[in-house]
Amino acid sequence: MSNIPETGRTSRVTIRLIAIQILVLSLLATLAGRLWYIQIRNGDEYIAEAAGNHVQQVVQPAVRGSILDARGVPLADNETRLVVSASRTELMKMDDDGEAVLTRLAGVLNLTPKEISDKVRLCDAKTKQPCWNGSPYQPIPITDEATTQQALTIRERAEDFPGITAEPTAVRRYAAPAGADTAQVLGYLSPVTDEEIQKAEHTDSPFLRSDQVGRSGLERSYDEYLRGKAGVTRYEVDKLGRVMGKTESDPAVAGHNVVTSVDARVQAVAEKELLKAMKEARKQHDDNTGRNYEADAGAVVVLESKTGRVVSMASEPDYDPNAWVGGISGKDYAKMTSKDSNYPLLNRAIQGQAAPGSIFKVVPAAAAVNAGYDFNGNYECSSSYSIGNQVFNNYESKGYGTIDIARALEVSCDTVFYRLSHQEYKKDGGIDPKKNPDDWFYKTAHQFGLGKETGIDLPNEVSGRIPDRQWKKDFWKANKDSWCEQAKDWPKKKDYVTKLARENCLVGMKLHAYDSVNYSIGQGDTLVTPIQMATIYAAISNGGTLYDPSVGKAIVSPDGQKVEKIEPKAHGKLPTSKKTLAQIDKALEGVATRGTAAWRFTGWPQKKIPMHAKTGTAEVYGKQTTSWFATYTEDYTIVMTISQGGTGSGASGPAVRNIYNALYGVDAKGKINEDKALLPKPQADLPQIREDGSIKARPMPSEKGRRGGE
């Protein structure tokens, strides 16, 4: 038996129990403190980190919708290519981070190991392209141009290429049917940017990092419809990136198809004729400069006269939109954006601004009648017109005696419009105008829709310029400092530029008489675009309605069950009476039959297809003349311009005539062959939609590409 008293044992047990209690309480307190620190103090941080660590997304891109011509022929669609991709997650599990696998892959794809390793590295602020800007859990494409043999090698030797896949994938294709590039109208795609992702984060159409978005043309205008919705599969992963399980999936939804009013056959002809006209112009000698015409740029627009729909729109220089597919090379991008290439990305039909020359004269003709002048009155068409010491010559210094406004349009008499404009200028008070001047010639131009966008469904349209009194004031405020600085060289330097700078410095805010007379024939500071003038001439043809030009005709859902037609919209009416409009219409028919354009329409079947036209040759300081040719029939309106190309009927006339020949099937002798007519009447109905939602394209004729066949 123990000699320890009972009270001593009890005391020791009590001490031990107290120590254990203290230890337990300390551990509980430590645990509670840690839980408070994690859940309360740094709770938000750990929640965000946990979400990032444990749920990752793998994106399946949606098939982008097609862009079709009016007959259902694809202008932009998708083609299946063999795409080789690498799983970065799998590569990172390897001891060498997949270096050996990528080296073997480089040998199969005929690339260098560095080219491949650069593509699979992740982008950050310090890493330059090429790199991967998407999710690290997303398969990273190495190439979309793998051959069948390369793909088979990778799949048959799967043990040598863990984490590497070779699968068929839909890739954008710009088909160029009948050789029609339609480049500037279609536009191109490029990857979404971080800024765009953040901006769209809380909208109904958020972006994913894998998304491609339209950057110009129809690809941009209708991007929301074409893009569709990418599929997303979510995986649970641990902090090391290992997949623990699959949570949920959202299937991909294909994009809608956009049917346009463009006819690929007419587009091919328009592109070919524009390019041919420019090449021919470069062979012609310019007596004013002593060298051949440069013909450095041009555009042509074909509209449906009664709806404003675009049947064709071509711009030169152009480019191959397929260069953007899969990422454009630095060399190609530099070429497309360099001054030497003359900026082929510009759609000069809606972005090319130039003085319109005499095709503008329909505006002052209407303005003169609005101001009270008789369309059938007698007006002097002298060889020149003088204001003080300044002499303004008629074109080629010709005089036609006393004529009416209709004849002035037919023979394009400048001096008739000089006189009318100058008289109105003086009535308004001249250089020191009366309060609230009528300014009929400027007001009417704005009412014709000039000086603002037409509203076409293509991005980045420019507004042109009507140089009225307010514009003069605004322009002077913006430029007076530089003008006055340059004018300091006067009178040591008396060249034209210094003289003009001095005058602008002193009275550049005022509208001068010479401004008024130059403006009346579409010269001076006046700027228009081809689409603006096509809209005006289409309105004259259709009875006065100014339509918003449109390329999109309908949006069709992927299953074909929903068809949203895009109806023509008008933004105004021409500011003329029916009588005046009919008189202008008759005069423009006279231009084509006995006026300045008659020699280009010799043999045209005028009784069956009445032709109307107006020629224009715009002079620009420091450059060769700009060629303009505006025409219309009951069905179509065609406007062509060639920068530094010469006269309107001389440079642009043959090309415009050839486009009409193709539309109506008119041969060299003026006979109509309906079997050869591409589009004798505008395409009214939509192409047939099959039960599966696909669109049945009408067959295209077998034609050589427009460049390959020349």
Side-chain angles (χ1 to χ4, degrees):
M1 293 185 62
S2 172
N3 295 325
I4 299 174
E6 189 66 28
T7 55
R9 287 181 181 174
T10 302
S11 177
R12 288 183 181 181
V13 170
T14 301
I15 291 171
R16 288 175 182 173
L17 288 173
I18 292 172
I20 291 171
Q21 289 175 351
I22 292 172
L23 179 60
V24 170
L25 289 172
S26 298
L27 291 173
L28 289 173
T30 301
L31 180 61
R34 184 61 179 166
L35 288 173
W36 175 86
Y37 181 84
I38 293 173
Q39 293 185 356
I40 298 176
R41 181 173 178 178
N42 285 2
D44 292 341
E45 178 183 340
Y46 284 106
I47 288 172
E49 189 173 325
N53 283 339
H54 294 287
V55 178
Q56 293 294 343
Q57 299 181 153
V58 173
V59 177
Q60 178 189 357
V63 176
R64 193 171 179 87
S66 298
I67 301 175
L68 310 168
D69 88 339
R71 296 160 52 84
V73 177
L75 299 172
D77 58 2
N78 306 290
E79 65 178 346
T80 300
R81 293 188 187 178
L82 289 172
V83 177
V84 176
S85 302
S87 170
R88 196 172 187 281
T89 302
E90 293 298 319
L91 295 176
M92 292 300 101
K93 292 179 182 179
M94 303 174 190
D95 294 338
D96 62 352
D97 294 334
E99 183 178 346
V101 172
L102 294 179
T103 300
R104 287 194 291 272
L105 182 62
V108 172
L109 298 179
N110 298 320
L111 299 172
T112 66
K114 184 178 186 307
E115 286 175 323
I116 292 186
S117 61
D118 283 351
K119 288 188 176 185
V120 300
R121 63 183 178 176
L122 300 181
C123 293
D124 57 31
K126 297 180 180 179
T127 305
K128 296 181 179 180
Q129 289 284 352
C131 57
W132 176 242
N133 196 37
S135 166
Y137 298 94
Q138 185 80 20
I140 302 173
I142 304 299
T143 180
D144 62 5
E145 297 180 343
T147 65
T148 303
Q149 184 59 50
Q150 289 170 337
L152 286 173
T153 299
I154 293 168
R155 300 190 71 150
E156 290 174 354
R157 294 167 49 195
E159 69 279 2
D160 292 334
F161 300 101
I164 306 300
T165 57
E167 298 177 344
T169 304
V171 177
R172 202 59 165 169
R173 177 185 72 140
Y174 297 96
D181 286 337
T182 329
Q184 292 90 350
V185 175
L186 293 173
Y188 58 90
L189 305 175
S190 70
V192 66
T193 65
D194 289 339
E195 183 180 351
E196 288 168 328
I197 293 173
Q198 293 173 4
K199 189 175 180 180
E201 189 173 359
H202 301 294
T203 67
D204 294 335
S205 301
F207 286 119
L208 298 172
R209 285 194 175 274
S210 60
D211 280 338
Q212 295 265 318
V213 294
R215 293 300 177 198
S216 68
L218 295 171
E219 293 279 29
R220 177 174 169 181
S221 296
Y222 292 95
D223 183 73
E224 184 177 348
Y225 296 98
L226 292 164
R227 187 169 8 114
K229 185 178 181 181
V232 179
T233 302
R234 296 172 180 84
Y235 292 95
E236 291 184 356
V237 298
D238 63 15
K239 64 181 181 180
L240 297 177
R242 293 174 296 198
V243 176
M244 307 298 292
K246 182 178 177 181
T247 59
E248 59 183 12
S249 299
D250 296 326
V253 178
H256 290 62
N257 297 315
V258 175
V259 178
T260 72
S261 54
V262 172
D263 187 295
R265 303 166 304 168
V266 180
Q267 177 72 21
V269 172
E271 290 180 7
K272 178 180 178 180
E273 290 299 332
L274 174 61
L275 186 62
K276 180 180 177 182
M278 292 171 63
K279 289 181 177 179
E280 287 299 316
R282 292 171 193 149
K283 299 176 183 177
Q284 307 304 314
H285 184 74
D286 177 15
D287 293 335
N288 293 326
T289 61
R291 63 179 192 275
N292 284 7
Y293 287 106
E294 293 185 17
D296 55 340
V300 61
V301 177
V302 182
L303 297 183
E304 293 180 5
S305 295
K306 295 178 181 178
T307 65
R309 286 187 169 127
V310 176
V311 179
S312 172
M313 178 180 287
S315 177
E316 281 288 343
D318 73 349
Y319 64 95
D320 180 4
N322 287 297
W324 295 87
V325 177
I328 191 169
S329 68
K331 181 180 179 181
D332 285 342
Y333 183 77
K335 183 178 180 180
M336 289 187 189
T337 56
S338 70
K339 185 177 180 180
D340 291 341
S341 66
N342 203 14
Y343 311 109
L345 295 180
L346 285 177
N347 183 350
R348 286 172 166 82
I350 66 171
Q351 295 173 301
Q353 302 182 110
S358 292
I359 68 166
F360 180 75
K361 286 175 180 172
V362 293
V363 176
V369 176
N370 291 344
Y373 296 90
D374 185 357
F375 193 88
N376 296 318
N378 295 320
Y379 305 97
E380 182 65 23
C381 179
S382 55
S383 62
S384 64
Y385 182 71
S386 299
I387 300 176
N389 295 325
Q390 289 182 293
V391 178
F392 298 88
N393 292 317
N394 196 17
Y395 185 65
E396 295 183 347
S397 298
K398 290 182 179 180
Y400 291 88
T402 301
I403 59 176
D404 58 15
I405 292 178
R407 186 60 178 162
L409 287 172
E410 288 179 4
V411 299
S412 204
C413 179
D414 294 338
T415 53
V416 166
F417 294 98
Y418 289 155
R419 284 185 169 86
L420 290 170
S421 179
H422 191 213
Q423 287 172 18
E424 280 303 297
Y425 173 80
K426 289 187 290 186
K427 285 182 181 180
D428 286 330
I431 199 165
D432 295 310
K434 64 183 182 182
K435 187 176 181 180
N436 299 321
D438 292 325
D439 281 337
W440 281 111
F441 278 61
Y442 298 98
K443 184 190 301 182
T444 302
H446 286 294
Q447 293 170 335
F448 265 72
L450 296 175
K452 60 183 177 182
E453 295 88 348
T454 63
I456 191 171
D457 55 343
L458 292 174
N460 303 318
E461 180 188 6
V462 298
S463 62
R465 182 169 68 206
I466 295 301
D468 53 21
R469 296 182 193 275
Q470 187 58 51
W471 177 83
K472 287 285 288 186
K473 292 176 182 177
D474 295 340
F475 193 65
W476 178 76
K477 288 179 181 178
N479 294 278
K480 64 177 181 178
D481 291 341
S482 61
W483 283 334
C484 293
E485 181 64 29
Q486 191 173 3
K488 290 179 180 179
D489 293 335
W490 183 272
K492 291 182 180 179
K493 291 179 65 177
K494 292 188 177 182
D495 59 291
Y496 174 77
V497 174
T498 305
K499 181 181 178 181
L500 185 62
R502 180 173 180 268
E503 183 176 329
N504 285 335
C505 174
L506 298 174
V507 288
M509 79 297 292
K510 293 181 179 289
L511 189 69
H512 296 75
Y514 61 77
D515 290 322
S516 181
V517 298
N518 277 327
Y519 165 78
S520 71
I521 62 165
Q523 297 278 179
D525 294 310
T526 309
L527 293 177
V528 301
T529 63
I531 194 65
Q532 287 176 324
M533 299 311 297
T535 301
I536 287 172
Y537 277 84
I540 298 172
S541 171
N542 68 39
T545 302
L546 290 161
Y547 283 102
D548 298 1
S550 59
V551 184
K553 195 172 182 180
I555 297 168
V556 182
S557 62
D559 59 6
Q561 297 301 307
K562 184 178 180 182
V563 178
E564 180 183 341
K565 292 185 178 180
I566 303 171
E567 300 294 343
K569 295 180 181 179
H571 60 260
K573 299 283 288 185
L574 292 179
T576 61
S577 66
K578 290 183 179 180
K579 178 182 177 182
T580 301
L581 191 60
Q583 290 171 325
I584 292 174
D585 176 76
K586 190 66 176 176
L588 295 176
E589 184 176 0
V591 174
T593 57
R594 57 181 176 272
T596 56
W599 68 300
R600 287 306 185 192
F601 289 105
T602 300
W604 179 259
Q606 188 70 17
K607 291 183 179 180
K608 294 183 178 180
I609 309 172
M611 179 64 66
H612 305 71
K614 188 72 192 82
T615 58
T617 306
E619 297 178 357
V620 181
Y621 175 73
K623 291 187 175 183
Q624 296 168 311
T625 54
T626 298
S627 168
W628 285 92
F629 203 51
T631 60
Y632 64 84
T633 63
E634 181 184 1
D635 307 299
Y636 301 107
T637 297
I638 302 180
V639 171
M640 179 178 283
T641 183
I642 300 176
S643 169
Q644 302 195 92
T647 64
S649 59
S652 300
V656 171
R657 169 69 186 265
N658 288 339
I659 296 172
Y660 278 116
N661 288 346
L663 282 166
Y664 290 109
V666 179
D667 64 19
K669 296 181 180 179
K671 294 183 179 180
I672 300 173
N673 186 336
E674 294 182 358
D675 293 336
K676 292 187 176 181
L678 294 182
L679 202 63
K681 291 292 180 182
Q683 182 76 38
D685 58 334
L686 294 175
Q688 180 183 344
I689 302 172
R690 298 188 180 96
E691 291 184 2
D692 63 357
S694 62
I695 296 176
K696 183 179 180 180
R698 293 177 175 86
M700 291 289 292
S702 178
E703 296 182 25
K704 293 182 178 180
R706 68 186 181 95
R707 299 188 190 283
E710 290 178 359

